[in-house]
Amino acid sequence: MREREVVVIVGGGSVGISFLVQLVNETIAKRVAQQVEIVMFEPQKEAGPGYAYQRDYATNVLNTRADAMSAVHADRGHFLGWLDRYRDAWEPDFPGLAPAPDAFLPRSLFGRYLAATFTDTVARAQMADIAIRYVHDTVVDIVPCHDGNYYVDTRSAGAFHANRVVLCCGNLESTNFPALVGTPNFHNNPYPGEKFADCVPATASVCILGTNLSAIDTAISLIQGGHKGKIVCVSRNGRLPSVRGALNNPVTLRLLTHERIDAIMAANGGILRLADVAALIRSEFEACTGAALDVDAIMNMGAGAYDYLSTEIEQSATQQRFWQSVIYATNFIIDYIWHKLDLTEKRLFQSGMKALWFSYRVSFPLENARKILEYMRTDRMSVFGGFMDIKARPENGTFDLRIADGKTGFRSTIECDAVINATSYSTDVTQTDNTLVRSLLRRRLAQPNEFGGFALDFESGRLAGADRGVSRGISVLGSLATGTYFWTNAMDVNARLAAQQAARIASEIAAAAPRRPSRAIIAQTRPRPPLAVGVPEKWLTNQTAR
């Protein structure tokens, strides 16, 4: 009898579900289903929605087309197929919704799809004799054993033995305003947006920190919930994201390929520069349109927020924006480009270009753009650049926001009643208070990547420990992999990377020599095997799920 290989998945959000369904697919395809045991840990009661796609207003929509939101890399229509098959299950809560490949659907509906995908995957796994279970708890530590395996400790359910661990932990909470955390009327997470109807007074003046997609979602959620007070969005540059072209069609890249990247590096002595990548993007655009790429016109840097958004809406409603289609098409190769970029070029991008790249690459739907423009036109919302700082006033529970005009240098202060941090999540593992992340660093199982998340082996996604080399059995997906793969906030990229890891792990299990029966199974009827050095005494009991 072969030992069941215990694969622990830490995190049951969108990335964890994507990895789970593709691991089950791979183990069935490679005929190793009976040799696999999967344990998923998730702090929320329901697997699937995570924090990003939980119940919320239907007006809080995805910023990506429905046909790019599949949890299964090999099946681009998986999400749309679920919507079609189970219309009776979701349509009463989303009346009038018409799913289509180019639709921007409610985030909470995508959360339902993820939850249903989890349920369907568990049922299919059990039919294939894959041992699978879900543990509603938080993983707080991972301890290596003498035999090369691991003990995974949880907050309340005890310790679990694992041969492999895949970290799909989701986003780390923002650490941009530590002095305000815990302050009354300061909210450090903008999701779900419907919570603000209960915790922010309807007439309060609200400062939204950030002018990105999360800030836009937050403003729309506030007004959807009946908010009447003035809303101010502020960031250092005051740039709103670009608006996604309603007439855009996907394109297939012909010039920006793995082979072309390798050829450029060979000609440059093994170096890839940002200028090389920019030249390829220009060439792709010209091949699509027969015209030169006008970067100045795209960026429209001289316009204020209102005029910029007006221009974006007009262009997005009336023409195909080929530059967007080309940029979006880089999702299939963007991690490879980042991996091959020279270190100096990566640092240049990170320090001077990243914010600008994000404001144009991460676009938002036309319907939301029109709402934001109307809010600005009717003076319900203002957008400012020149953010300096924000401080709480304990004497009256308000906040002072200080901004500076970039052209004149004039400084002004805006008083607000409530503050919502929508500056996006953190990827700095050295600054987080996340218990598991801090434990992995302390045990030197992991080390920071200077560009965010953990240092990983690019080919396998495994942790590159501080003094242990590349981990045999711990790999990472999602935002904690951003320094290695760069674009880990896109569902199609995460699904592709999850598919690669699932295929690798299933292949390794298939190739493994026969071993003894699973320790996770033995532990239910026999004494616990010897523990690794440093394992807490509390782990001597309650090894398996309760």
Side-chain angles (χ1 to χ4, degrees):
M1 177 180 177
R2 286 180 63 109
E3 173 186 350
R4 282 192 185 262
E5 189 90 357
V6 182
V7 181
V8 161
I9 304 173
V10 181
S14 60
V15 178
I17 297 302
S18 179
F19 174 74
L20 172 67
V21 63
Q22 293 181 106
L23 178 63
V24 168
N25 290 347
E26 289 288 344
T27 55
I28 293 173
K30 292 180 170 59
R31 302 180 183 276
V32 292
Q34 295 180 350
Q35 298 160 26
V36 177
E37 177 177 354
I38 303 172
V39 186
M40 173 177 277
F41 295 91
E42 166 57 39
Q44 296 198 81
K45 290 183 178 180
E46 181 185 29
Y51 290 102
Y53 304 113
Q54 55 192 303
R55 175 179 172 177
D56 208 343
Y57 296 124
T59 51
N60 195 333
V61 298
L62 299 164
N63 296 296
T64 302
R65 291 166 45 124
D67 62 359
M69 292 299 295
S70 170
V72 182
H73 172 59
D75 183 2
R76 189 178 177 91
H78 194 259
F79 178 33
L80 287 165
W82 177 82
L83 290 169
D84 183 56
R85 290 192 304 274
Y86 299 102
R87 180 177 291 274
D88 291 345
W90 59 263
E91 193 170 40
D93 295 323
F94 301 90
L97 187 69
D102 61 350
F104 298 91
L105 301 176
R107 297 172 68 91
S108 57
L109 180 57
F110 184 68
R112 289 198 189 185
Y113 154 73
L114 293 170
T117 298
F118 171 77
T119 301
D120 292 346
T121 301
V122 169
R124 198 156 49 84
Q126 291 173 338
M127 290 180 63
D129 200 22
I130 299 173
I132 189 167
R133 50 184 161 164
Y134 177 78
V135 182
H136 170 220
D137 205 348
T138 300
V139 173
V140 296
D141 202 0
I142 297 174
V143 180
C145 302
H146 292 309
D147 60 3
N149 297 314
Y150 305 91
Y151 279 108
V152 177
D153 193 19
T154 62
R155 183 158 290 157
S156 58
F160 295 71
H161 179 271
N163 302 106
R164 301 170 188 272
V165 180
V166 182
L167 302 178
C168 307
C169 303
N171 300 332
L172 301 177
E173 195 162 278
S174 172
T175 57
N176 288 338
F177 303 96
L180 296 182
V181 174
T183 302
N185 303 316
F186 174 76
H187 307 274
N188 203 36
N189 191 328
Y191 295 107
E194 68 176 11
K195 69 184 177 184
F196 296 119
D198 296 325
C199 62
V200 175
T203 57
S205 56
V206 178
C207 172
I208 300 176
L209 300 173
T211 55
N212 58 14
L213 297 182
S214 296
I216 288 167
D217 288 344
T218 303
I220 292 173
S221 293
L222 282 167
I223 292 178
Q224 176 69 22
H227 192 78
K228 305 298 182 183
K230 182 64 181 289
I231 299 170
V232 173
C233 286
V234 62
S235 65
R236 287 186 174 83
N237 58 27
R239 300 292 293 180
L240 292 169
S242 67
V243 178
R244 182 96 176 218
L247 304 178
N248 287 3
N249 291 315
V251 301
T252 300
L253 300 182
R254 292 172 287 173
L255 305 175
L256 188 53
T257 63
H258 293 80
E259 294 76 17
R260 184 62 65 89
I261 293 294
D262 292 344
I264 290 173
M265 292 184 67
N268 289 348
I271 294 176
L272 180 67
R273 299 183 176 89
L274 290 169
D276 300 321
V277 180
L280 286 174
I281 291 174
R282 284 179 179 271
S283 298
E284 289 284 2
F285 176 85
E286 292 167 4
C288 285
T289 65
L293 182 66
D294 189 344
V295 176
D296 291 337
I298 291 170
M299 297 181 70
N300 196 13
M301 294 295 287
Y306 186 88
D307 290 338
Y308 169 79
L309 189 56
S310 298
T311 301
E312 284 287 303
I313 289 172
E314 192 278 329
Q315 292 181 358
S316 296
T318 60
Q319 59 189 259
Q320 182 171 351
R321 311 191 78 183
F322 285 101
W323 68 268
Q324 288 183 343
S325 297
V326 170
I327 293 296
Y328 301 152
T330 63
N331 275 15
F332 93 98
I333 196 176
I334 197 164
D335 48 310
Y336 188 77
I337 293 172
W338 181 254
H339 176 60
K340 294 297 185 178
L341 272 176
D342 181 69
L343 179 60
T344 301
E345 298 291 288
K346 285 184 179 180
R347 289 170 174 164
L348 175 63
F349 177 88
Q350 195 81 356
S351 63
M353 303 178 189
K354 183 178 178 180
L356 199 59
W357 162 267
F358 268 74
S359 68
Y360 289 92
R361 170 58 185 85
V362 185
S363 57
F364 69 118
L366 185 60
E367 61 184 281
N368 279 0
R370 286 172 170 154
K371 290 177 182 177
I372 295 297
L373 189 70
E374 179 64 12
Y375 301 160
M376 295 172 69
R377 188 189 68 81
T378 56
D379 200 33
R380 301 192 67 181
M381 172 181 168
S382 297
V383 177
F384 295 107
F387 171 79
M388 295 177 63
D389 60 39
I390 187 164
K391 294 181 179 179
R393 299 177 64 180
E395 66 274 12
N396 62 5
T398 63
F399 301 83
D400 284 337
L401 166 68
R402 293 200 306 154
I403 59 176
D405 187 286
K407 295 180 180 178
T408 66
F410 178 76
R411 299 183 178 186
S412 57
T413 300
I414 300 173
E415 184 177 349
C416 48
D417 301 316
V419 175
I420 300 171
N421 180 11
T423 57
S424 192
Y425 55 89
S426 173
T427 59
D428 187 348
V429 296
T430 66
Q431 298 299 315
T432 182
D433 60 1
N434 182 283
T435 305
L436 176 59
V437 170
R438 293 175 68 88
S439 173
L440 290 168
L441 293 174
R442 185 181 67 253
R443 293 187 182 281
R444 302 179 69 80
L445 288 170
Q447 60 181 325
N449 185 308
E450 69 172 281
F451 304 109
F454 291 129
L456 307 176
D457 171 62
F458 178 81
E459 299 298 333
S460 66
R462 294 186 178 111
L463 280 176
D467 56 8
R468 299 172 183 266
V470 175
S471 168
R472 184 197 69 83
I474 305 178
S475 56
V476 183
L477 289 165
S479 61
L480 293 183
T482 189
T484 301
Y485 300 117
F486 182 65
W487 202 244
T488 56
N489 53 349
M491 189 67 218
D492 58 339
V493 174
N494 284 326
R496 173 167 56 81
L497 295 173
Q500 292 171 4
Q501 285 205 29
R504 172 182 60 80
I505 289 173
S507 295
E508 291 173 355
I509 292 172
R515 293 184 294 273
R516 294 172 296 171
S518 168
R519 288 191 180 187
I521 296 173
I522 292 174
Q524 298 177 21
T525 57
R526 302 182 185 177
R528 173 189 293 278
L531 298 176
V533 174
V535 174
E537 284 295 319
K538 69 174 183 175
W539 286 15
L540 292 174
T541 59
N542 195 25
Q543 179 181 352
T544 55
R546 293 187 286 193

